[in-house]
Amino acid sequence: RQGEYYLEAIESFREMQQLDEEAAPRAAVHIIETHRQARDVNKAFEEARTAREKYPKDRAVQSMYAFMAADAGKGPEAERVV
């Protein structure tokens, strides 16, 4: 993610999701965070929503969803997660 190579970073994290099922939720969090660093809050929120549905028991994913919901101006949605 350094040097603003956001798309390349996202692709690497997507590969990580496909190659390692156990690391997939962590890769999803990295994808969300990368979109956030690229200042694409809407895309980050959409990725967070997808990850939340795919990994409903992962605390890091749930926390990131709440964080992104708050950033996207969806405070009540963020409060329901926490």
Side-chain angles (χ1 to χ4, degrees), residues 40-69:
D40 191 347
V41 175
N42 291 329
K43 185 66 176 168
F45 178 68
E46 289 304 316
E47 289 284 348
R49 183 182 357 222
T50 300
R52 181 178 184 222
E53 292 170 4
K54 192 169 186 178
Y55 311 108
K57 295 182 180 183
D58 189 274
R59 287 184 179 178
V61 169
Q62 298 302 314
S63 295
M64 184 57 81
Y65 175 79
F67 180 71
M68 290 314 308

mmCIF file of all heavy atoms in Angstrom, residues 40-69:
data_model
loop_
_atom_site.group_PDB
_atom_site.id
_atom_site.type_symbol
_atom_site.label_atom_id
_atom_site.label_comp_id
_atom_site.label_asym_id
_atom_site.label_seq_id
_atom_site.Cartn_x
_atom_site.Cartn_y
_atom_site.Cartn_z
ATOM 1 N N ASP A 40 -11.470 6.261 -0.966
ATOM 2 C CA ASP A 40 -12.673 5.802 -1.656
ATOM 3 C C ASP A 40 -13.587 5.155 -0.612
ATOM 4 O O ASP A 40 -13.682 3.928 -0.508
ATOM 5 C CB ASP A 40 -12.313 4.814 -2.765
ATOM 6 C CG ASP A 40 -13.486 4.518 -3.690
ATOM 7 O OD1 ASP A 40 -14.634 4.877 -3.342
ATOM 8 O OD2 ASP A 40 -13.248 3.927 -4.753
ATOM 9 N N VAL A 41 -14.237 6.012 0.172
ATOM 10 C CA VAL A 41 -15.053 5.550 1.296
ATOM 11 C C VAL A 41 -16.213 4.679 0.830
ATOM 12 O O VAL A 41 -16.530 3.673 1.468
ATOM 13 C CB VAL A 41 -15.557 6.747 2.135
ATOM 14 C CG1 VAL A 41 -16.509 6.299 3.233
ATOM 15 C CG2 VAL A 41 -14.385 7.498 2.733
ATOM 16 N N ASN A 42 -16.840 5.045 -0.276
ATOM 17 C CA ASN A 42 -17.977 4.254 -0.758
ATOM 18 C C ASN A 42 -17.553 2.844 -1.129
ATOM 19 O O ASN A 42 -18.237 1.873 -0.782
ATOM 20 C CB ASN A 42 -18.642 4.945 -1.949
ATOM 21 C CG ASN A 42 -19.342 6.219 -1.544
ATOM 22 O OD1 ASN A 42 -19.843 6.345 -0.424
ATOM 23 N ND2 ASN A 42 -19.369 7.187 -2.437
ATOM 24 N N LYS A 43 -16.442 2.700 -1.828
ATOM 25 C CA LYS A 43 -15.960 1.374 -2.200
ATOM 26 C C LYS A 43 -15.543 0.589 -0.956
ATOM 27 O O LYS A 43 -15.812 -0.603 -0.842
ATOM 28 C CB LYS A 43 -14.801 1.492 -3.195
ATOM 29 C CG LYS A 43 -14.316 0.174 -3.719
ATOM 30 C CD LYS A 43 -15.368 -0.505 -4.557
ATOM 31 C CE LYS A 43 -14.811 -1.791 -5.142
ATOM 32 N NZ LYS A 43 -15.838 -2.622 -5.724
ATOM 33 N N ALA A 44 -14.904 1.282 -0.015
ATOM 34 C CA ALA A 44 -14.503 0.624 1.230
ATOM 35 C C ALA A 44 -15.729 0.111 1.979
ATOM 36 O O ALA A 44 -15.727 -1.014 2.496
ATOM 37 C CB ALA A 44 -13.710 1.597 2.101
ATOM 38 N N PHE A 45 -16.790 0.914 2.008
ATOM 39 C CA PHE A 45 -18.008 0.489 2.699
ATOM 40 C C PHE A 45 -18.641 -0.708 1.994
ATOM 41 O O PHE A 45 -19.086 -1.660 2.646
ATOM 42 C CB PHE A 45 -19.009 1.643 2.807
ATOM 43 C CG PHE A 45 -20.286 1.239 3.476
ATOM 44 C CD1 PHE A 45 -20.310 0.906 4.819
ATOM 45 C CD2 PHE A 45 -21.466 1.182 2.761
ATOM 46 C CE1 PHE A 45 -21.486 0.520 5.445
ATOM 47 C CE2 PHE A 45 -22.646 0.802 3.372
ATOM 48 C CZ PHE A 45 -22.656 0.470 4.713
ATOM 49 N N GLU A 46 -18.681 -0.681 0.671
ATOM 50 C CA GLU A 46 -19.242 -1.818 -0.079
ATOM 51 C C GLU A 46 -18.436 -3.093 0.173
ATOM 52 O O GLU A 46 -19.006 -4.174 0.357
ATOM 53 C CB GLU A 46 -19.298 -1.501 -1.571
ATOM 54 C CG GLU A 46 -20.340 -0.464 -1.928
ATOM 55 C CD GLU A 46 -21.743 -0.846 -1.472
ATOM 56 O OE1 GLU A 46 -22.147 -2.017 -1.640
ATOM 57 O OE2 GLU A 46 -22.433 0.035 -0.932
ATOM 58 N N GLU A 47 -17.116 -2.969 0.166
ATOM 59 C CA GLU A 47 -16.268 -4.132 0.464
ATOM 60 C C GLU A 47 -16.515 -4.627 1.887
ATOM 61 O O GLU A 47 -16.557 -5.832 2.137
ATOM 62 C CB GLU A 47 -14.789 -3.775 0.296
ATOM 63 C CG GLU A 47 -14.353 -3.580 -1.126
ATOM 64 C CD GLU A 47 -14.169 -4.874 -1.901
ATOM 65 O OE1 GLU A 47 -14.152 -5.970 -1.308
ATOM 66 O OE2 GLU A 47 -14.038 -4.785 -3.135
ATOM 67 N N ALA A 48 -16.689 -3.692 2.815
ATOM 68 C CA ALA A 48 -16.944 -4.063 4.207
ATOM 69 C C ALA A 48 -18.281 -4.783 4.352
ATOM 70 O O ALA A 48 -18.389 -5.772 5.082
ATOM 71 C CB ALA A 48 -16.914 -2.819 5.094
ATOM 72 N N ARG A 49 -19.280 -4.314 3.620
ATOM 73 C CA ARG A 49 -20.593 -4.965 3.672
ATOM 74 C C ARG A 49 -20.500 -6.396 3.130
ATOM 75 O O ARG A 49 -21.035 -7.333 3.719
ATOM 76 C CB ARG A 49 -21.622 -4.165 2.882
ATOM 77 C CG ARG A 49 -22.998 -4.771 2.991
ATOM 78 C CD ARG A 49 -24.090 -4.095 2.209
ATOM 79 N NE ARG A 49 -23.720 -2.900 1.496
ATOM 80 C CZ ARG A 49 -24.466 -1.799 1.453
ATOM 81 N NH1 ARG A 49 -25.601 -1.752 2.102
ATOM 82 N NH2 ARG A 49 -24.087 -0.764 0.746
ATOM 83 N N THR A 50 -19.800 -6.557 2.026
ATOM 84 C CA THR A 50 -19.622 -7.886 1.437
ATOM 85 C C THR A 50 -18.855 -8.803 2.393
ATOM 86 O O THR A 50 -19.235 -9.958 2.598
ATOM 87 C CB THR A 50 -18.876 -7.772 0.095
ATOM 88 O OG1 THR A 50 -19.657 -6.962 -0.787
ATOM 89 C CG2 THR A 50 -18.660 -9.133 -0.533
ATOM 90 N N ALA A 51 -17.786 -8.276 2.980
ATOM 91 C CA ALA A 51 -16.983 -9.078 3.906
ATOM 92 C C ALA A 51 -17.791 -9.460 5.140
ATOM 93 O O ALA A 51 -17.684 -10.585 5.639
ATOM 94 C CB ALA A 51 -15.734 -8.303 4.317
ATOM 95 N N ARG A 52 -18.613 -8.540 5.616
ATOM 96 C CA ARG A 52 -19.444 -8.825 6.796
ATOM 97 C C ARG A 52 -20.394 -9.991 6.530
ATOM 98 O O ARG A 52 -20.607 -10.841 7.386
ATOM 99 C CB ARG A 52 -20.235 -7.580 7.175
ATOM 100 C CG ARG A 52 -21.085 -7.783 8.390
ATOM 101 C CD ARG A 52 -21.802 -6.511 8.749
ATOM 102 N NE ARG A 52 -22.535 -6.720 9.992
ATOM 103 C CZ ARG A 52 -23.746 -6.284 10.201
ATOM 104 N NH1 ARG A 52 -24.362 -5.576 9.285
ATOM 105 N NH2 ARG A 52 -24.353 -6.514 11.347
ATOM 106 N N GLU A 53 -20.955 -10.017 5.336
ATOM 107 C CA GLU A 53 -21.861 -11.115 4.980
ATOM 108 C C GLU A 53 -21.098 -12.428 4.801
ATOM 109 O O GLU A 53 -21.591 -13.490 5.174
ATOM 110 C CB GLU A 53 -22.606 -10.760 3.700
ATOM 111 C CG GLU A 53 -23.590 -9.611 3.884
ATOM 112 C CD GLU A 53 -24.155 -9.096 2.569
ATOM 113 O OE1 GLU A 53 -23.836 -9.674 1.504
ATOM 114 O OE2 GLU A 53 -24.899 -8.101 2.615
ATOM 115 N N LYS A 54 -19.905 -12.343 4.258
ATOM 116 C CA LYS A 54 -19.123 -13.548 3.971
ATOM 117 C C LYS A 54 -18.456 -14.126 5.218
ATOM 118 O O LYS A 54 -18.290 -15.334 5.334
ATOM 119 C CB LYS A 54 -18.059 -13.213 2.924
ATOM 120 C CG LYS A 54 -17.382 -14.407 2.335
ATOM 121 C CD LYS A 54 -16.558 -14.027 1.129
ATOM 122 C CE LYS A 54 -16.003 -15.271 0.469
ATOM 123 N NZ LYS A 54 -15.231 -14.946 -0.728
ATOM 124 N N TYR A 55 -18.070 -13.252 6.161
ATOM 125 C CA TYR A 55 -17.364 -13.684 7.378
ATOM 126 C C TYR A 55 -18.087 -13.140 8.608
ATOM 127 O O TYR A 55 -17.555 -12.302 9.341
ATOM 128 C CB TYR A 55 -15.909 -13.188 7.353
ATOM 129 C CG TYR A 55 -15.192 -13.485 6.072
ATOM 130 C CD1 TYR A 55 -14.884 -12.473 5.171
ATOM 131 C CD2 TYR A 55 -14.828 -14.793 5.745
ATOM 132 C CE1 TYR A 55 -14.234 -12.750 3.981
ATOM 133 C CE2 TYR A 55 -14.183 -15.075 4.553
ATOM 134 C CZ TYR A 55 -13.892 -14.044 3.679
ATOM 135 O OH TYR A 55 -13.245 -14.307 2.495
ATOM 136 N N PRO A 56 -19.302 -13.608 8.873
ATOM 137 C CA PRO A 56 -20.114 -13.029 9.950
ATOM 138 C C PRO A 56 -19.559 -13.255 11.359
ATOM 139 O O PRO A 56 -19.925 -12.532 12.283
ATOM 140 C CB PRO A 56 -21.472 -13.715 9.780
ATOM 141 C CG PRO A 56 -21.168 -15.000 9.098
ATOM 142 C CD PRO A 56 -19.996 -14.705 8.192
ATOM 143 N N LYS A 57 -18.661 -14.209 11.535
ATOM 144 C CA LYS A 57 -18.135 -14.502 12.870
ATOM 145 C C LYS A 57 -16.760 -13.897 13.115
ATOM 146 O O LYS A 57 -16.221 -14.030 14.214
ATOM 147 C CB LYS A 57 -18.091 -16.011 13.095
ATOM 148 C CG LYS A 57 -19.470 -16.632 13.118
ATOM 149 C CD LYS A 57 -19.418 -18.101 13.382
ATOM 150 C CE LYS A 57 -20.844 -18.649 13.377
ATOM 151 N NZ LYS A 57 -20.886 -20.062 13.694
ATOM 152 N N ASP A 58 -16.213 -13.227 12.128
ATOM 153 C CA ASP A 58 -14.878 -12.653 12.277
ATOM 154 C C ASP A 58 -14.985 -11.259 12.904
ATOM 155 O O ASP A 58 -15.586 -10.352 12.329
ATOM 156 C CB ASP A 58 -14.179 -12.571 10.917
ATOM 157 C CG ASP A 58 -12.731 -12.182 11.062
ATOM 158 O OD1 ASP A 58 -12.450 -10.964 11.123
ATOM 159 O OD2 ASP A 58 -11.884 -13.087 11.143
ATOM 160 N N ARG A 59 -14.391 -11.099 14.077
ATOM 161 C CA ARG A 59 -14.501 -9.840 14.804
ATOM 162 C C ARG A 59 -13.820 -8.682 14.085
ATOM 163 O O ARG A 59 -14.317 -7.556 14.106
ATOM 164 C CB ARG A 59 -13.897 -9.982 16.196
ATOM 165 C CG ARG A 59 -14.752 -10.786 17.118
ATOM 166 C CD ARG A 59 -14.146 -10.803 18.489
ATOM 167 N NE ARG A 59 -14.979 -11.569 19.403
ATOM 168 C CZ ARG A 59 -14.678 -11.779 20.641
ATOM 169 N NH1 ARG A 59 -13.557 -11.291 21.140
ATOM 170 N NH2 ARG A 59 -15.478 -12.484 21.407
ATOM 171 N N ALA A 60 -12.679 -8.933 13.473
ATOM 172 C CA ALA A 60 -11.971 -7.860 12.768
ATOM 173 C C ALA A 60 -12.808 -7.345 11.603
ATOM 174 O O ALA A 60 -12.887 -6.128 11.373
ATOM 175 C CB ALA A 60 -10.609 -8.348 12.276
ATOM 176 N N VAL A 61 -13.449 -8.249 10.891
ATOM 177 C CA VAL A 61 -14.306 -7.853 9.770
ATOM 178 C C VAL A 61 -15.506 -7.065 10.292
ATOM 179 O O VAL A 61 -15.865 -6.020 9.732
ATOM 180 C CB VAL A 61 -14.768 -9.082 8.956
ATOM 181 C CG1 VAL A 61 -15.857 -8.710 7.968
ATOM 182 C CG2 VAL A 61 -13.580 -9.724 8.244
ATOM 183 N N GLN A 62 -16.119 -7.532 11.368
ATOM 184 C CA GLN A 62 -17.272 -6.836 11.927
ATOM 185 C C GLN A 62 -16.893 -5.442 12.421
ATOM 186 O O GLN A 62 -17.620 -4.476 12.201
ATOM 187 C CB GLN A 62 -17.891 -7.651 13.065
ATOM 188 C CG GLN A 62 -18.425 -9.005 12.638
ATOM 189 C CD GLN A 62 -19.474 -8.918 11.544
ATOM 190 O OE1 GLN A 62 -20.388 -8.108 11.607
ATOM 191 N NE2 GLN A 62 -19.341 -9.752 10.534
ATOM 192 N N SER A 63 -15.736 -5.339 13.059
ATOM 193 C CA SER A 63 -15.263 -4.039 13.538
ATOM 194 C C SER A 63 -14.981 -3.100 12.375
ATOM 195 O O SER A 63 -15.326 -1.909 12.429
ATOM 196 C CB SER A 63 -13.995 -4.209 14.379
ATOM 197 O OG SER A 63 -14.277 -4.924 15.543
ATOM 198 N N MET A 64 -14.361 -3.610 11.335
ATOM 199 C CA MET A 64 -14.059 -2.777 10.172
ATOM 200 C C MET A 64 -15.348 -2.321 9.501
ATOM 201 O O MET A 64 -15.446 -1.187 9.042
ATOM 202 C CB MET A 64 -13.172 -3.534 9.180
ATOM 203 C CG MET A 64 -12.742 -2.696 7.995
ATOM 204 S SD MET A 64 -11.871 -1.176 8.418
ATOM 205 C CE MET A 64 -10.244 -1.790 8.703
ATOM 206 N N TYR A 65 -16.347 -3.200 9.465
ATOM 207 C CA TYR A 65 -17.642 -2.800 8.901
ATOM 208 C C TYR A 65 -18.232 -1.638 9.702
ATOM 209 O O TYR A 65 -18.701 -0.656 9.124
ATOM 210 C CB TYR A 65 -18.616 -3.981 8.880
ATOM 211 C CG TYR A 65 -19.983 -3.556 8.420
ATOM 212 C CD1 TYR A 65 -20.256 -3.363 7.076
ATOM 213 C CD2 TYR A 65 -20.997 -3.303 9.336
ATOM 214 C CE1 TYR A 65 -21.502 -2.932 6.645
ATOM 215 C CE2 TYR A 65 -22.244 -2.877 8.920
ATOM 216 C CZ TYR A 65 -22.491 -2.697 7.576
ATOM 217 O OH TYR A 65 -23.713 -2.262 7.158
ATOM 218 N N ALA A 66 -18.211 -1.751 11.021
ATOM 219 C CA ALA A 66 -18.754 -0.680 11.861
ATOM 220 C C ALA A 66 -17.990 0.625 11.632
ATOM 221 O O ALA A 66 -18.596 1.698 11.507
ATOM 222 C CB ALA A 66 -18.695 -1.082 13.329
ATOM 223 N N PHE A 67 -16.691 0.533 11.551
ATOM 224 C CA PHE A 67 -15.852 1.704 11.314
ATOM 225 C C PHE A 67 -16.197 2.356 9.975
ATOM 226 O O PHE A 67 -16.369 3.570 9.880
ATOM 227 C CB PHE A 67 -14.385 1.274 11.354
ATOM 228 C CG PHE A 67 -13.413 2.384 11.120
ATOM 229 C CD1 PHE A 67 -13.208 3.361 12.075
ATOM 230 C CD2 PHE A 67 -12.686 2.443 9.944
ATOM 231 C CE1 PHE A 67 -12.303 4.391 11.855
ATOM 232 C CE2 PHE A 67 -11.786 3.464 9.715
ATOM 233 C CZ PHE A 67 -11.593 4.443 10.674
ATOM 234 N N MET A 68 -16.327 1.540 8.935
ATOM 235 C CA MET A 68 -16.618 2.083 7.604
ATOM 236 C C MET A 68 -18.050 2.605 7.515
ATOM 237 O O MET A 68 -18.308 3.580 6.820
ATOM 238 C CB MET A 68 -16.352 1.041 6.520
ATOM 239 C CG MET A 68 -14.875 0.724 6.317
ATOM 240 S SD MET A 68 -13.779 2.162 6.230
ATOM 241 C CE MET A 68 -14.546 3.169 4.981
ATOM 242 N N ALA A 69 -18.981 1.963 8.215
ATOM 243 C CA ALA A 69 -20.360 2.468 8.235
ATOM 244 C C ALA A 69 -20.377 3.863 8.845
ATOM 245 O O ALA A 69 -21.037 4.769 8.329
ATOM 246 C CB ALA A 69 -21.268 1.517 9.006
#
